[in-house]
Amino acid sequence: SRGDLEEAFRVRTEEELPVYERLGDVREIAVTKGKLADILFSRGDLEEAFRVRTEEQLPIFERLGDVRSIAVTKGKLADILFSRGDLEEAFRVRTEEQLPIFERLGDVRSIAVTKGDLADILAARGDAVGALKILQEEKRPLMEKLRDEDGLVHLLYQISAIRLGLEGLTQDNFSEVVRDLTDAFKRVQKLGRPDGIGAIGSLLGQVFLSMHAFEPALEVLLIAEAGFRKMNWQEKADQVAELARQARAQL
């Protein structure tokens, strides 16, 4: 977490993994292989991360018959495919190999998360309409069923970001962005999440600025800045403070 990936990798391979191998703890070997793949992914070695997942981790879970872990690993493979630009294969793995497992298990939360991942792939392929359809018609009802406030906040932010990226953004769509971001901002404030308050507030503030709604823009941006300051994310806080200055200058 503090960025010392080489030493983290060494500890996993030289000090942790050999213990599990001596104990014959097959599951923990697989779990540790996955953590090694995470480190490889973080340092940009996508091919080796993919190899470790497919050749060293996944076969263990398959032998153990651990269906959930298979599905999670498939998702990690899709993440790697997405990162290296193989969007079609990432989409196929999620729809044909990961999602059906979660559906058989009746794991509503994991189904919802996977739907969001599918929307990300569609958005990256340029299919914003398809991404929005999945998020609004398939993921949102699941998040509401789960009463997952964190999940709903992220969903509203994701929907808004995709709408804002649409070419030929209509007035109706723009109104929907304001509605959803305002809803998300209220929810994240109730949750007391300073990171979310900063991220959502800064985006909502920029939307208000683009509408020349300078008073609500200033109000939201000041709250967003405070959120980033609380997280000690000074660079982002300074950027939001500059936006707030622009809004104040227009009052």
Side-chain angles (χ1 to χ4, degrees):
S1 294
R2 67 187 194 193
D4 193 351
L5 302 183
E6 295 304 318
E7 180 61 8
F9 195 84
R10 188 198 66 77
V11 170
R12 294 266 187 223
T13 52
E14 297 180 15
E15 299 181 22
E16 182 182 23
L17 188 60
V19 176
Y20 293 136
E21 289 173 337
R22 287 197 302 271
L23 292 170
D25 191 333
V26 179
R27 180 178 299 281
E28 288 303 323
I29 290 171
V31 170
T32 307
K33 293 285 188 180
K35 291 177 180 178
L36 288 170
D38 286 337
I39 298 171
L40 290 165
F41 183 86
S42 294
R43 68 186 194 193
D45 193 349
L46 302 184
E47 294 305 317
E48 181 62 8
F50 194 83
R51 188 198 67 76
V52 169
R53 295 268 185 213
T54 54
E55 297 181 13
E56 299 182 20
Q57 183 187 34
L58 189 59
I60 293 176
F61 289 139
E62 289 173 337
R63 288 199 301 273
L64 291 171
D66 186 341
V67 179
R68 183 179 299 279
S69 294
I70 291 170
V72 171
T73 305
K74 293 286 187 179
K76 295 284 189 177
L77 289 170
D79 287 339
I80 297 171
L81 291 164
F82 182 88
S83 294
R84 68 187 193 192
D86 194 348
L87 303 183
E88 295 299 324
E89 180 62 7
F91 194 83
R92 188 199 66 78
V93 169
R94 292 222 185 264
T95 53
E96 297 181 13
E97 299 182 18
Q98 183 187 31
L99 188 59
I101 293 176
F102 290 139
E103 289 173 337
R104 288 199 301 273
L105 292 172
D107 186 340
V108 178
R109 184 174 302 279
S110 294
I111 292 170
V113 170
T114 307
K115 294 287 188 179
D117 293 330
L118 289 170
D120 286 338
I121 297 171
L122 289 174
R125 288 194 328 205
D127 185 2
V129 174
L132 287 171
K133 181 178 175 63
I134 285 180
L135 292 174
Q136 293 173 300
E137 298 181 12
E138 298 180 31
K139 182 174 181 178
R140 184 164 187 166
L142 296 176
M143 302 310 295
E144 290 173 344
K145 179 180 179 180
L146 291 166
R147 297 182 180 178
D148 184 339
E149 282 296 303
D150 270 318
L152 278 169
V153 166
H154 180 265
L155 176 65
L156 291 166
Y157 180 84
Q158 188 179 15
I159 289 172
S160 300
I162 292 173
R163 278 206 181 105
L164 287 170
L166 283 171
E167 293 184 6
L169 189 65
T170 66
Q171 185 59 46
D172 286 343
N173 279 337
F174 209 74
S175 298
E176 289 171 339
V177 168
V178 173
R179 180 200 65 204
D180 286 345
L181 282 178
T182 300
D183 185 8
F185 194 55
K186 290 177 180 177
R187 290 174 186 267
V188 80
Q189 285 179 285
K190 285 182 181 178
L191 290 170
R193 289 273 308 277
D195 54 342
I197 290 169
I200 296 168
S202 62
L203 183 57
L204 178 57
Q206 290 174 72
V207 171
F208 280 140
L209 279 175
S210 71
M211 298 167 61
H212 295 169
F214 299 116
E215 188 171 343
L218 179 59
E219 180 183 351
V220 168
L221 289 167
L222 290 174
I223 296 171
E225 181 191 352
F228 282 141
R229 298 283 182 211
K230 192 169 185 179
M231 294 294 295
N232 202 30
W233 294 352
Q234 301 304 335
E235 184 177 350
K236 289 185 177 181
D238 290 343
Q239 292 169 355
V240 176
E242 173 58 24
L243 292 172
R245 187 196 65 76
Q246 294 173 22
R248 187 181 287 110
Q250 298 294 327
L251 293 175

